Amino acid sequence: MSHGDTIPLHPSSQSDIDEIENLINAGPATVLPAHPPSPQRASIPVSSSPFIPSNLPPPPPSAPAAAFQKAPTSTPPSVPAAESSRRGIAADGFGSPPNTLTEPVWDTVRRDLSRIVSNLKLVVFPNPFREDPGKALRDWDLWGPFFFIVFLGLTLSWSASVKKSEVFAVAFAVLAAGAIILTLNVLLLGGHIIFFQSLSLLGYCLFPLDLGALICMLKDNVIIKIIVVSITLAWSSWAAYPFMSAAVNPKRKALALYPVFLMYISVGFLIIAID
Amino acid sequence: MEEGYTSLPTSHLLGSVPAAVAEEKAKGAASESSSANLQIFPPANGGYQAPGSPYGGDDQATSSWKGVCSISSYTPYFNVDTDIVVGRLISSVYPMNDFTGKIDGNPDLYGPIWISTTLVFMLAALGNCATYLMHKRNEPDIAWAFDVTYVNWAACIIYGYALAVPVAFYFLLRYFGCNASLIRLWCMWGYSLFIFVPSSLLLIAPVEIFRWIIIILAGAASSWFVALNLKSYTEGSDLMVLIVSALLLQIVLALFIKIFFFA
């Protein structure tokens, strides 16, 4: 179908078109997952396509009231069956998606928490994946960074004696806007980085500073604060260094890393100075 | 398809476009081969471009504009390496070097953005340090609290100055017939703020005379830098009024920094 065009295609477009044609012709059973299947994200079952034979019994037009009452009870058992019939064209294509909408809340929370813990272990603690930044944070999420930023803002706000809400606002704004600006900085310098993966990474690297802020809140001595903040600052910078430096050209490494250090140093200073 | 445009038999018509199209096509081809081509991902050469390649003047930069929200339309302004930035920083401290010549081919926005951000952070942090030291010296009994509004003030003033003053001068220079480039003006004013970063470190010392000497020296060096570069920028026309006003504005900024943050 591409041969009938008069405009010659870009060489990479032809390979894309071939790939899509293979997908359509070969069927979804041969689709390989783009990356190792992670704990399934919550997915809303797609239920509106008219071409899929649905196992839901069509509501009889003569008794709409009865069907209306019957539908809520019959939907949960028939949804898994409908989903298994729609297996091939499910949105993520990794096999039948589990029923994440109807699972107990505790299961969802536990799954998200385990993801946060595993990401934390990959980013902040020494592990063999740090040399390959792309692989390390494959399964990024934004819950962890959100918790860490809010926790840091709350701790700083709690430690402050005056203008508590302004302290929280400044801390939250600096960290959130700072993560976005740092990612944009890497992209503008010509680096390769995935936007949300980088946001996630910078959020996870705040974990040591969270610990430092907690310790500083409990102990009020200036010398101890300086020591604790210096150690956690060095830890945070060490955690963020391989990911940021691998993303840009080596001649611009310092240009990409300096803003990261600036942001962490400014947060560290905020932790020391608030009393 | 594009080859067809140059062979259109309209060049004999007045005000016809083909010549510009052919020229643009040549420029477009040159920039396509080495720029971040959005059809090929990742971009060629790992996205790295030696500084000083096709993005030479203003007209080159505008031809790669892909819209306000596309990152690749801003990348020409960040096409600098570490050693280039360090060289520009050093030449901003000694006003005698020819800064305009350095940035002529490749004005960058990395310097202005991160110098102003560093200055905002330093003013907020060191301003609080300075009030703490003065407080401990003069009134050691009363509790000192970290004043977080310094961050807000510093951000408003420094970012506002670095953004608005070059824009104002851009319009004024255009009005007086000078051929001005907004990016170069932003670049120059941004680098002129660099000298306040080390001088704010020195301003912590709680001795009043010392602080005034430091800020007067820093303000003088910075405004001399601005005036010198503005003069070499507007070579032909005689716009002493503008140059003197730029110098005075920079001195006012220096005095404001001293009075507000390091009182």
Side-chain angles (χ1 to χ4, degrees):
Chain A
M1 50 180 202
S2 57
H3 313 297
D5 286 347
T6 52
I7 302 171
L9 287 176
H10 196 278
S12 66
S13 306
Q14 183 57 48
S15 64
D16 291 337
I17 292 176
D18 290 340
E19 199 179 307
I20 295 173
E21 284 186 18
N22 285 344
L23 278 177
I24 295 175
N25 298 336
T30 61
V31 170
L32 297 168
H35 59 81
S38 54
Q40 304 286 354
R41 298 173 190 270
S43 52
I44 300 176
V46 179
S47 65
S48 59
S49 174
F51 304 110
I52 303 161
S54 168
N55 287 349
L56 285 171
S62 59
F68 195 72
Q69 275 156 1
K70 209 170 59 135
T73 53
S74 66
T75 325
S78 62
V79 162
E83 279 190 337
S84 63
S85 75
R86 284 194 302 270
R87 176 193 313 231
I89 318 192
D92 49 3
F94 294 146
S96 73
N99 210 346
T100 57
L101 268 191
T102 56
E103 66 177 6
V105 173
W106 177 240
D107 279 355
T108 313
V109 170
R110 195 170 44 190
R111 196 177 56 238
D112 284 333
L113 279 178
S114 68
R115 180 159 54 206
I116 291 178
V117 169
S118 75
N119 276 339
L120 198 60
K121 282 201 290 223
L122 280 175
V123 170
V124 176
F125 295 102
N127 69 81
F129 289 116
R130 281 174 64 86
E131 302 315 310
D132 184 8
K135 198 193 305 187
L137 207 56
R138 253 321 171 29
D139 199 13
W140 57 267
D141 72 310
L142 289 179
W143 277 118
F146 176 71
F147 283 139
F148 293 142
I149 292 182
V150 168
F151 180 77
L152 191 56
L154 284 177
T155 313
L156 284 176
S157 166
W158 203 335
S159 325
S161 43
V162 293
K163 292 190 178 148
K164 289 175 182 266
S165 47
E166 291 200 27
V167 169
F168 179 84
V170 166
F172 192 88
V174 165
L175 288 168
I180 296 179
I181 293 176
L182 286 173
T183 314
L184 283 179
N185 183 48
V186 170
L187 287 173
L188 284 167
L189 283 173
H192 309 309
I193 207 169
I194 304 174
F195 186 75
F196 285 108
Q197 193 180 31
S198 158
L199 286 189
S200 170
L201 165 86
L202 287 169
Y204 275 110
C205 290
L206 277 180
F207 175 73
L209 282 170
D210 274 354
L211 290 180
L214 195 60
I215 297 176
C216 286
M217 186 174 76
L218 301 171
K219 287 248 172 235
D220 214 8
N221 189 347
V222 177
I223 307 288
I224 294 186
K225 275 189 181 178
I226 293 181
I227 297 177
V228 165
V229 167
S230 317
I231 296 177
T232 53
L233 192 67
W235 187 6
S236 279
S237 313
W238 173 82
Y241 178 83
F243 300 98
M244 282 299 183
S245 66
V248 282
N249 187 291
K251 285 194 200 177
R252 303 182 179 188
K253 210 160 61 164
L255 297 184
L257 285 172
Y258 166 72
V260 179
F261 294 145
L262 182 66
M263 183 173 90
Y264 286 150
I265 289 178
S266 67
V267 171
F269 192 85
L270 211 56
I271 296 176
I272 296 180
I274 300 272
D275 59 350
Chain B
M1 268 299 216
E2 292 171 49
E3 297 88 329
Y5 289 141
T6 51
S7 62
L8 286 177
T10 53
S11 42
H12 62 280
L13 297 173
L14 267 178
S16 65
V17 174
V21 171
E23 197 189 313
E24 201 170 64
K25 187 186 83 124
K27 270 194 233 166
S31 60
E32 278 270 44
S33 57
S34 56
S35 71
N37 189 342
L38 289 179
Q39 285 178 306
I40 301 176
F41 188 79
N45 264 351
Y48 178 66
Q49 213 172 345
S53 56
Y55 295 108
D58 257 4
D59 41 7
Q60 294 283 12
T62 50
S63 72
S64 71
W65 188 255
K66 290 184 180 61
V68 178
C69 285
S70 161
I71 293 259
S72 59
S73 41
Y74 298 106
T75 26
Y77 304 128
F78 286 80
N79 194 15
V80 280
D81 290 339
T82 310
D83 40 357
I84 297 180
V85 171
V86 170
R88 289 181 186 184
L89 286 176
I90 293 180
S91 73
S92 80
V93 177
Y94 299 114
M96 305 307 158
N97 284 358
D98 185 19
F99 185 77
T100 314
K102 278 200 180 150
I103 67 169
D104 211 12
N106 189 15
D108 75 306
L109 286 179
Y110 178 91
I113 291 179
W114 291 108
I115 291 176
S116 14
T117 308
T118 310
L119 192 58
V120 164
F121 156 64
M122 296 220 100
L123 287 180
L126 299 175
N128 272 300
C129 263
T131 52
Y132 174 73
L133 286 175
M134 288 292 256
H135 196 95
K136 220 165 69 148
R137 221 166 161 237
N138 300 337
E139 311 157 345
D141 325 321
I142 310 177
W144 171 85
F146 182 80
D147 191 0
V148 89
T149 54
Y150 273 30
V151 178
N152 301 342
W153 275 107
C156 289
I157 288 166
I158 300 295
Y159 284 135
Y161 185 87
L163 268 178
V165 169
V167 169
F169 272 88
Y170 172 71
F171 284 122
L172 280 173
L173 284 173
R174 283 278 190 181
Y175 178 72
F176 285 114
C178 244
N179 190 13
S181 153
L182 186 55
I183 302 292
R184 287 187 181 80
L185 288 176
W186 264 329
C187 185
M188 183 193 62
W189 250 281
Y191 277 102
S192 79
L193 291 177
F194 172 68
I195 197 170
F196 292 120
V197 171
S199 63
S200 63
L201 269 172
L202 293 171
L203 281 172
I204 306 180
V207 184
E208 195 67 21
I209 298 290
F210 188 58
R211 286 185 179 180
W212 278 110
I213 296 178
I214 297 282
I215 200 63
I216 288 177
L217 283 175
S222 184
S223 11
W224 188 243
F225 173 79
V226 168
L228 211 62
N229 277 293
L230 212 52
K231 193 152 77 159
S232 71
Y233 201 65
T234 67
E235 269 156 5
S237 30
D238 183 26
L239 294 168
M240 279 313 279
V241 182
L242 279 183
I243 297 177
V244 169
S245 60
L247 195 141
L248 286 177
L249 265 176
Q250 198 83 1
I251 294 183
V252 165
L253 178 74
L255 290 176
F256 185 85
I257 288 178
K258 159 72 181 71
I259 294 174
F260 191 81
F261 291 103
F262 297 96

